[in-house]
């Protein structure tokens, strides 16, 4: 459903993506692997529409993503090296605003997701008072609440403890099993069973 | 499954963005009050540095107030998109799946309220310390309300354009200043006329026309600039 | 070393709480006596000034509150320095309690001064050295209070505001000597040159009494605020439980 | 093994910090030129907003120049330690194992050079646009050189104190302004005397005294504040 | 040589460290483990002297660290969730300034360390153009160059690929074997052999 074909991209003088192709079908997760500086973040940001490849095409449901950028954006959830959360808002407020500019969601759903990521008691805490792993948990709750069929996750397991890794794996599994798509990067193996296909960048 | 499950309408998404800006403003009251304190500082520092002859003061008062308002709203613009870019929330706005121009319009509108309203409310204080007659206050305040709107909307385009590269608000001032100079000139002239007891309607209508132009066109430019500057 | 432990025992919160409670009634009593005599003597007994008529009577509020605005600042700065150097929590509590009182006296001095300025100089306000430095003192107080409010953590608020209070103390001599260093509209020192007072006794004694009364008032208010501050800071401590439980 | 292998001396460590600031300043020329552009903006916007009567202009010119210089150096202070705090390099400075006051003194000194020198160099431009006579220029420039030093060193204390908690440069202005008000008053007065052809030596000596005081004492306060505000 | 005894610390209203004790001897590495929000970062920052415990004492070579803060700071290298590097300076410049405010070091030494962390060719690249893992590598080079006997590392393995994990493990091993001390946090096991003692926070 998402097809990127022979992407080429330069950053400054560096030819970072050289004829990279990815195809992700519904119900499938792709694990982008590769050493530091291989271009994983670059590829994910290109798939998210933040960077434009100099050559090659990206299609979503068969149509180039440039044809309907807002529609494609509405279908995408992105988690980068930054969490995309406001330090001055509480965990609950962050989820409230970021979810509801995308889709209607009732309070119970937000609360349920916060407790699923293990932060039931911390909804009222300003994000700046949470630990690094707790913030990452809020960010993954945001992705799970987005309702987007395509998840683009850049090292989502960063800072997470063992329990949280389990929770995130569960979220991805549920999403993929419900027909969602996911592309994520990680430096170690992720126990997602047969749902994952691995793609190594140079 | 080509889009989100059931998307929200643009007005209600824009309302969320507006609400979020206001909530953030309230959380960071210090930052919110910065432009207005700065405005009061500029306008009260003058009597301190100049020889305080009341007759001279009244002559330059409209200009001082308008320069203060221009500078303080310009300064508040630097952080408008920068903070969102740094923590990654700007990306989330772009990926909301809504027409970006609508969302940024809500954001800029909230910024205008948060910056402009305190300025307008503080204007009588500044004016009285510069011995502007009370009769000129309505024109001054109305003019500032319209003028800060133009400055904020036009300035937002500059703020979005200067996101890429290193942070440098100098570029922002250089881009925006020529565009908003007419606001300063007409605003100060209208106030000056009100101080002398003449009719200031012409200047105010001009400011209103500029405001309408800015509010309709600037968000499109901002949205385009934001997309360009995310990398 | 003995004096050192004595010093610290003296500065323990329960001890300070108890002592300030014991002083409070006496302070209140003498405050009332001195301010009472000062105001009665100044506002009723003293004859009208041959130049200023009755306008000069505002001095009985203005001079004491101006004096207190400076004394309170010095109190804040000294307490803050003690707190910073010897890490003494009670000293920080004293600084925190004294600052709002000092800000109020500063405001009162500015207010009464400009009320007096209208008949005397024909204007509420001019950018004169003494007036400006007193206004700066008000800004310093406000900055101090704002800085305190900017911290979530009380220990850090204490220390950061202490640094500011100490830095700001340079302003105090400027206020006091402004009339000497610059030719100012404002009155030169009248009260302090007791050797050759430039004021008749019927005006002077009530003024001195009201100066003392205001100082005692400051001490009394400080005790009240300090006790509240200590309760707030020590709310989890065991020694407070019987006291707060009883109230 | 109770300390580092062979530590460097404080002067050479301070020289590194100084060098680093200068290098960063050169990398971010945009940011570096911000205060001076702002200064020129403030001083040239005035003739635009006021009715430009030369006689009136000459009267207020010293005040305008000094207010411009004060505001622009104040604004440059917000980022002085904030950027280092955000990326974690401030911690590295604290952990250098050197007396912190020495290192921050080097940093503030570099900031003074990077901000103050352009201001002093731009002063003739600003002064001529305000029709200040050329004879007053030496006093103006010397005064600005001294005055910006005081503002930067005193302001650094404020910048360090406002590091903790939310970012809010309003608080910074609120803390620093009362402390540097005398600089403004004496600076403007000295310039005014020079414009009238009187001797301005008294004011300049006073500025020098304030500078010496600020340079010796402020770094200690800054170092204490930085330690307090790191969490 | 580093002894922290029954530390208590509150952050806001939260009692984060409750009677935590750590002792690290020369030639030993301590692995701080614990779930997200357990207080690992808080403990490390307390050991670095950025936070002051309300109760308890920290001693370095038998003396309280408050007795000689500058001396203790000179003996400490800290790597936090932030890298402590300037995005506008190049990798080489960052190392140059940060190392040489602590100790004299010649250019060859800096260059050798850069190539040891796999960035020999990137010394001239501004840090903002490096990938997340490459920045982390520069940060670990900074720690290794510091010459400090005590290393405090907060999730140093974040963003690192497999090769870089190996390099960092090697750096820590060399440091500890030369009589250095290290305290680090990590959510997974770290292959440091018998040098490591594990300390779990609640
Ligand atoms: C807003 C205007 C004014 C301000 C801010 C102000 C401020 C002060 C301050 C700070 C002091 C204490 C000085 C010291 O103890 O070192 C003081 C004392 C005094 N002020 Fe004012 N003042 C103002 C207006 C006036 C006016 C209009 C008068 C009357 C002409 C006046 C008469 C006095 C007198 C007589 C003293 C006591 C002098 C002494 O014994 O030291 N003040 N004022
Ligand atoms: N500034 C603060 N104010 C209040 N609470 C805080 C503050 N900083 C941290 N906390 C709380 O202290 C606890 C410990 O935080 P810390 O960052 O030390 O955890 P951590 O063990 O490093 O977690 P992680 O594995 O997620 O990095 C958390 O519950 C956190 O919410
Ligand atoms: N703005 C930029 N300008 C120039 N080069 C860049 C820029 N951003 C990244 N690069 C380079 O592009 C390459 C790919 O970077 P990218 O961030 O995509 O790597 P990555 O695979 O995500 O690595 P990591 O595992 O470390 O996160 C790197 O060599 C990096 O140095
Ligand atoms: Mg990456
Ligand atoms: Mg942590």
């Amino acid at each position: 459903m998402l097809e990127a074909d022979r992407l080429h991209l330069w950053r400054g003088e560096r030819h970072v993506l050289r004829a990279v192709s990815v195809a992700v079908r519904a119900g499938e997760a792709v694990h982008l692997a590769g050493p530091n500086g291989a271009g994983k973040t670059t590829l994910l940001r290109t798939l998210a529409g933040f960077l434009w490849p100099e050559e090659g095409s990206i299609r979503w449901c068969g149509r180039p993503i440039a044809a309907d950028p807002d529609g494609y954006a509405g279908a995408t959830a992105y988690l980068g090296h930054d969490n995309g959360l406001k330090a001055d808002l509480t965990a609950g407020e962050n989820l409230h605003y970021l979810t509801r500019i995308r889709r209607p969601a009732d309070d119970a759903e937000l609360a349920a997701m916060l407790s699923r990521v293990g932060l039931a008691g911390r909804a009222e805490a300003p994000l700046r008072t949470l630990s690094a792993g707790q913030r990452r948990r809020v960010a993954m709750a945001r992705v799970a609440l987005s309702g987007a069929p395509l998840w683009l996750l850049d090292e989502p397991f960063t800072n997470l403890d063992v329990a949280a890794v389990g929770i995130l794996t569960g979220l991805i599994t549920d999403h993929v099993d419900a027909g969602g798509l996911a592309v994520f990067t990680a430096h170690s193996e992720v126990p997602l069973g047969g749902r994952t296909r691995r793609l190594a960048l140079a | 499954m080509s889009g989100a499950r059931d998307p929200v309408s643009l007005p209600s998404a824009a309302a969320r963005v507006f609400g979020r800006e206001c909530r953030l403003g309230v959380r960071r009251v210090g930052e919110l009050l910065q432009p207005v304190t700065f405005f009061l500082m500029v306008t009260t520092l003058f009597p301190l540095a100049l020889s305080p002859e009341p007759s001279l003061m009244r002559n330059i008062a409209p200009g001082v107030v308008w320069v203060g308002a221009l500078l303080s709203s310009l300064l508040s613009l630097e952080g408008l998109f920068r903070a969102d870019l740094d923590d990654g929330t700007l990306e989330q706005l772009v990926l909301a799946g809504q027409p970006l121009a609508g969302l940024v319009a809500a954001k800029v509108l909230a910024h205008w309220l948060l910056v402009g309203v305190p300025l307008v409310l503080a204007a009588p204080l500044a004016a009285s310390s510069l011995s502007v007659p009370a009769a000129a206050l309505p024109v001054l305040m109305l003019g500032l309300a319209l003028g800060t709107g133009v400055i904020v909307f036009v300035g937002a385009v500059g703020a979005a354009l200067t996101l890429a590269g290193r942070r440098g608000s100098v570029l922002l001032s250089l881009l925006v200043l020529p565009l908003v100079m007419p606001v300063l000139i007409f605003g100060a002239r209208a106030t000056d006329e009100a101080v002398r007891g003449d009719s200031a309607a012409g200047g105010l209508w001009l400011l209103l026309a500029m405001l309408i132009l800015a509010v309709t066109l600037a968000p499109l430019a901002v949205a385009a600039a934001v997309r360009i500057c995310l990398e | 070393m003995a004096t050192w432990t004595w010093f610290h025992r003296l500065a323990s919160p329960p001890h300070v709480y108890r002592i300030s409670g014991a002083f409070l009634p006496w302070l209140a009593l003498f405050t009332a006596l001195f301010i009472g005599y000062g105001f009665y003597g100044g506002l009723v007994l003293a004859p009208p000034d041959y130049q200023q008529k009755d306008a000069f009577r505002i001095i009985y509020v203005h001079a004491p509150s101006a004096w207190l605005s400076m004394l309170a600042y010095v109190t804040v700065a000294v307490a803050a320095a003690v707190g910073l150097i010897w890490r003494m929590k009670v000293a920080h509590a004293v600084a925190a309690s004294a600052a709002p009182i000092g800000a109020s006296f500063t405001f009162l001095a500015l207010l009464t001064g400009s009320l007096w300025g209208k008949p005397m100089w024909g204007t509420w306000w001019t950018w004169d050295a003494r007036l400006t430095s007193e206004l700066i003192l008000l800004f310093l107080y406000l900055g101090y209070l704002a800085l305190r409010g900017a911290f979530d953590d009380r220990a850090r608020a204490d220390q950061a505001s202490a640094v500011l209070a100490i830095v700001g103390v340079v302003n105090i001599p400027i206020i006091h000597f402004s009339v000497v260093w610059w030719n100012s509209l404002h009155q030169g020192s009248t009260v302090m040159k007791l050797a050759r007072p430039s004021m008749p006794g019927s005006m002077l004694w009530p003024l001195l009494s009201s100066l003392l009364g205001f100082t005692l008032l400051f001490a009394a208010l400080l005790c009240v605020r300090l006790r509240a501050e200590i309760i707030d800071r020590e709310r989890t401590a065991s020694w407070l439980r019987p006291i707060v439980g009883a109230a």
Side-chain angles (χ1 to χ4, degrees), chain A residues 11-12 14 16 35-42 81 155 187:
Chain A
R11 304 199 77 167
R14 272 194 121 67
V16 177
N36 293 139
K40 304 180 292 300
T41 299
T42 305
H81 286 304
E155 302 199 29
H187 287 298

Side-chain angles (χ1 to χ4, degrees), chain A residues 86-97 100 107 110-112 114-115 117-131 134 138, chain B residues 23 27, chain C residues 152:
Chain A
K86 279 277 163 210
D88 286 318
L89 296 177
T90 67
E93 286 167 349
N94 266 296
L95 292 184
H96 161 79
Y97 290 118
R100 288 178 179 155
D107 288 344
L110 301 190
L114 255 187
S115 75
V117 299
L119 291 173
R122 303 299 289 274
E124 305 297 318
L127 214 75
R128 62 168 72 256
T129 67
L130 294 186
S131 79
Q134 290 167 333
V138 178
Chain B
R23 177 83 54 117
R27 280 290 143 75
Chain C
D152 298 328

